[in-house]
Structure formats: C-alpha cells, structure tokens
Amino acid sequence: MKAVILCGGQGTRIRDANETLPKPLLPIGSNPIVWHIMKGYAVSGVKDFVLCLGYKCWLIKEYFLNYRAKTTDVTVSLGTHNDPVFHGNHREEDWNVTLAETGEDTGTGGRVAAIRKYVENDGVFMLTYGDGVADIDVKRLLAFHKEQGRIATVTAVRPQGRFGEMRLEGTKVVEFNEKPQATEGLINGGFFVFDSKRIWDYLGTDRHVLLEREPLQRLARDNQLIGYTHTGFWQPMDTAREYAMLNDAWSKGQAPWKTW
C-alpha cells in the first residue's frame, strides 16, 4: 500500500516563516514536516510513498536524493570517479519514495489524477497533505475504510480555536479556556483512504480541479464518502505562529504526533 502526499502547493500564508523552501520542507526540529508525516505512516507499516511535487520541486527531490549522505557517515574519494562509500544505515532505509512531477499550478485533484499509474493496482491508497501532522492510528483508519466499503474516507477533525473561550454569568467569568478544541464543527483533516479502482471517474481530466470541491462533493452526493472522526491531536502548519508552535512542542519533547 502507498501513502500519497500532496507536496506541490506554494504555502503563501506561511511565506513569512521561510521564503526559500517549499512548505513540506519547512523543518520541525532538524527534519522537514513531510518527514514527520512519513514517519507517522511508517510506524504503521506504510513505507511506500508517492510525493506529488510542484512548487520548487527540485528542492524536495534534492532532499531525498541526498538523504543517505545527510544521515550517515560518508567517504568521498577526491580526484577519482569512485562512488561515495556510506558507513552504516539509517532508520528509513526500507522506505520507497516516488517523487512525481505533477505541475506547479495543478489543483489537488489534478495532482492525485497525475499519479494514477503508481497506485491504481494497489486496491486502496492513502492520501494526505504535506503540511499537517497528527497522531492518527493509520491501521484503524484503514480498517474503518474497508468495513464501510465506500470509495473514499476522509478524516474529520475538530480544529483548535484561534482565541481563548470564555463563559460568562452576567459580568462574571465562570469558565476560561485558552484556545480550546472547537466543540462543534468537523473539518477536513486530510488522511484520506481511496479505492484505487473507483476514484478516478470522480477526479476527471481537468488538471486544475480541486479535490476538495467537485470530486469530494460528488462522492458525498453519491453516498461514497465516509468520515472517520479523529479526536486526538491534529495540527496544520498554515501560519508562522503554528510553525513556531510545532517547533516549540518538538523541542520540549511534547510532540503528540511522534508515535514512532
């Protein structure tokens, strides 16, 4: 089974955090956020990945092409044509990562359609965004999808509130919660599962189509979209504040998404 990760967007809302890297390469600690997402899948045995590239795609390719050199000791023979000698192994040596060019201005649905050849024979495949982490139990998500027998499953989450929440009795504050989890309203948290035989008719042939619009809306109308409710940790990295928050949690050893 493969996990497909959407890595092609420009991340315009977080440009103030980093002007030079594509969003999936923005680091949490010493590793990019896409690595954290992949580790979350790998701990459940999903170690075959397809990354849908677009904006500054070469930097993502370069990161993975140089991964072994970055994570192990290496001996380089200068002045000869011998290949570098790598010493030791890294924990991700059993990962397979396909880096797929899907176009800089392609929509999310178009990106998925573009990697059809890599996943259409797998029965099902997983999909998520390259800018959000969670403590999703991937095995439970997959089992839920198979039990339902529909074409698509989306993980439904409750986002953190942006502001503190108060409850008043007259002028007296009787309850105060700093940025609580929303008590109402589920949103798309990514972490999809798709039937790799039946999803393609819903994606169509327009490479600009957004997965979140017509494809998912039509799946819902056809009773082919199921929601898997996740009540644990989920956090996107859409703003500089969220970028700093995730790094702060990691540096303190308090990262709920670290399930490996």
Side-chain angles (χ1 to χ4, degrees):
M1 183 186 305
K2 297 180 179 69
V4 178
I5 305 178
L6 296 169
C7 296
Q10 295 191 19
T12 54
R13 287 178 293 177
I14 200 170
R15 287 289 175 80
D16 50 343
N18 193 303
E19 290 279 350
T20 60
L21 294 174
K23 195 174 179 184
L25 286 188
L26 287 177
I28 300 176
S30 59
N31 291 291
I33 187 171
V34 70
W35 176 91
H36 289 258
I37 297 166
M38 295 164 80
K39 290 288 281 188
Y41 278 112
V43 74
S44 294
V46 181
K47 301 179 180 182
D48 202 344
F49 302 96
V50 181
L51 273 53
C52 299
L53 308 184
Y55 178 68
K56 293 190 175 182
C57 61
W58 170 245
L59 293 178
I60 298 177
K61 285 185 175 182
E62 189 174 49
Y63 173 79
F64 287 100
L65 286 169
N66 293 326
Y67 193 83
R68 193 173 183 190
K70 289 174 179 285
T71 54
T72 62
D73 294 345
V74 57
T75 297
V76 180
S77 298
L78 303 181
T80 71
H81 297 291
N82 293 337
D83 292 335
V85 177
F86 297 96
H87 305 280
N89 300 313
H90 54 78
R91 294 181 180 179
E92 296 77 40
E93 62 180 353
D94 56 348
W95 291 10
N96 292 309
V97 185
T98 299
L99 303 163
E101 297 270 7
T102 59
E104 188 162 327
D105 62 346
T106 307
T108 48
R111 295 193 192 283
V112 181
I115 56 87
R116 176 175 180 171
K117 61 185 177 183
Y118 297 119
V119 299
E120 63 181 337
N121 295 319
D122 293 348
V124 298
F125 66 95
M126 295 186 164
L127 173 85
T128 197
Y129 303 102
D131 62 355
V133 289
D135 58 354
I136 298 281
D137 186 329
V138 171
K139 291 181 179 178
R140 288 185 63 184
L141 170 62
L142 178 61
F144 175 84
H145 173 81
K146 291 182 175 179
E147 287 168 4
Q148 299 299 316
R150 303 303 206 282
I151 294 175
T153 297
V154 58
T155 295
V157 298
R158 288 186 173 87
Q160 289 289 112
R162 291 184 59 199
F163 307 102
E165 180 180 81
M166 294 185 294
R167 186 165 63 86
L168 301 180
E169 290 182 359
T171 59
K172 180 182 178 182
V173 177
V174 295
E175 185 176 350
F176 184 90
N177 294 308
E178 177 61 12
K179 297 181 177 63
Q181 189 177 59
T183 54
E184 297 181 3
L186 293 167
I187 66 169
N188 166 18
F191 294 94
F192 299 90
V193 186
F194 290 124
D195 184 305
S196 61
K197 302 295 184 185
R198 297 185 288 164
I199 187 61
W200 312 110
D201 287 344
Y202 287 87
L203 296 177
T205 58
D206 179 3
R207 71 184 186 89
H208 297 292
V209 70
L210 295 176
L211 174 67
E212 300 79 11
R213 294 191 180 172
E214 178 61 21
L216 290 182
Q217 291 169 0
R218 190 153 64 93
L219 282 161
R221 290 196 299 268
D222 291 349
N223 193 28
Q224 289 296 327
L225 179 63
I226 297 297
Y228 173 81
T229 302
H230 174 64
T231 58
F233 179 85
W234 174 86
Q235 181 61 58
M237 191 170 69
D238 285 333
T239 66
R241 182 187 67 82
E242 291 169 339
Y243 172 68
M245 182 188 70
L246 289 170
N247 271 280
D248 184 59
W250 184 263
S251 67
K252 292 177 178 177
Q254 299 172 354
W257 68 91
K258 186 180 183 299
T259 55
W260 58 90

